Amino acid sequence: MSTDKKRVQFRAPDRLIDRADALAAVLGEDRTDVLVTALREYLQDAAHDDALTQEIAAAYYDDEITFEQLKVLVGAEEAANLRVLKQQLDEDFIDGVADA
């Protein structure tokens, strides 16, 4: 995992931050560690959610995200599969228009 870090700032409900702070105290960690762990686990779970993977694929097919972004979200192997499918879909579209 990369050691490069980016500072982010966001607003969250007080209750959610209070819960993160309480968990951090129990674990002997700081809030940032708890939030980073939660975000990492959420993104990992999201990559294995079929419905969300379909939304990610659709965003890629519609050129809303780049291949590199796709790869970060779903992993290199799945991204490669989706790139091949996109190329096939594009070729089918071109062939269909040419035949019309």
Side-chain angles (χ1 to χ4, degrees):
M1 179 172 295
S2 173
T3 59
D4 294 341
K5 295 185 179 190
K6 185 182 285 189
R7 183 175 188 78
V8 296
Q9 182 177 341
F10 64 94
R11 297 186 188 282
D14 288 340
R15 180 178 154 102
L16 185 61
I17 298 303
D18 291 344
R19 290 177 67 195
D21 288 342
L23 183 58
V26 168
L27 298 174
E29 298 179 355
D30 63 26
R31 177 193 300 161
T32 298
D33 293 334
V34 170
L35 294 175
V36 167
T37 298
L39 182 57
R40 183 181 301 116
E41 290 176 4
Y42 174 82
L43 292 171
Q44 185 175 6
D45 290 346
H48 299 289
D49 180 287
D50 290 338
L52 186 53
T53 299
Q54 291 302 316
E55 286 186 49
I56 292 167
Y60 175 63
Y61 298 151
D62 293 339
D63 296 320
E64 295 171 8
I65 62 172
T66 66
F67 179 73
E68 289 305 313
Q69 291 171 314
L70 176 70
K71 194 163 51 171
V72 168
L73 290 169
V74 299
E77 184 177 347
E78 181 69 15
N81 291 337
L82 292 171
R83 178 168 50 187
V84 168
L85 182 56
K86 180 180 180 180
Q87 290 168 343
Q88 290 173 341
L89 292 171
D90 290 343
E91 291 168 6
D92 290 345
F93 175 75
I94 291 169
D95 291 343
V97 170
D99 291 340

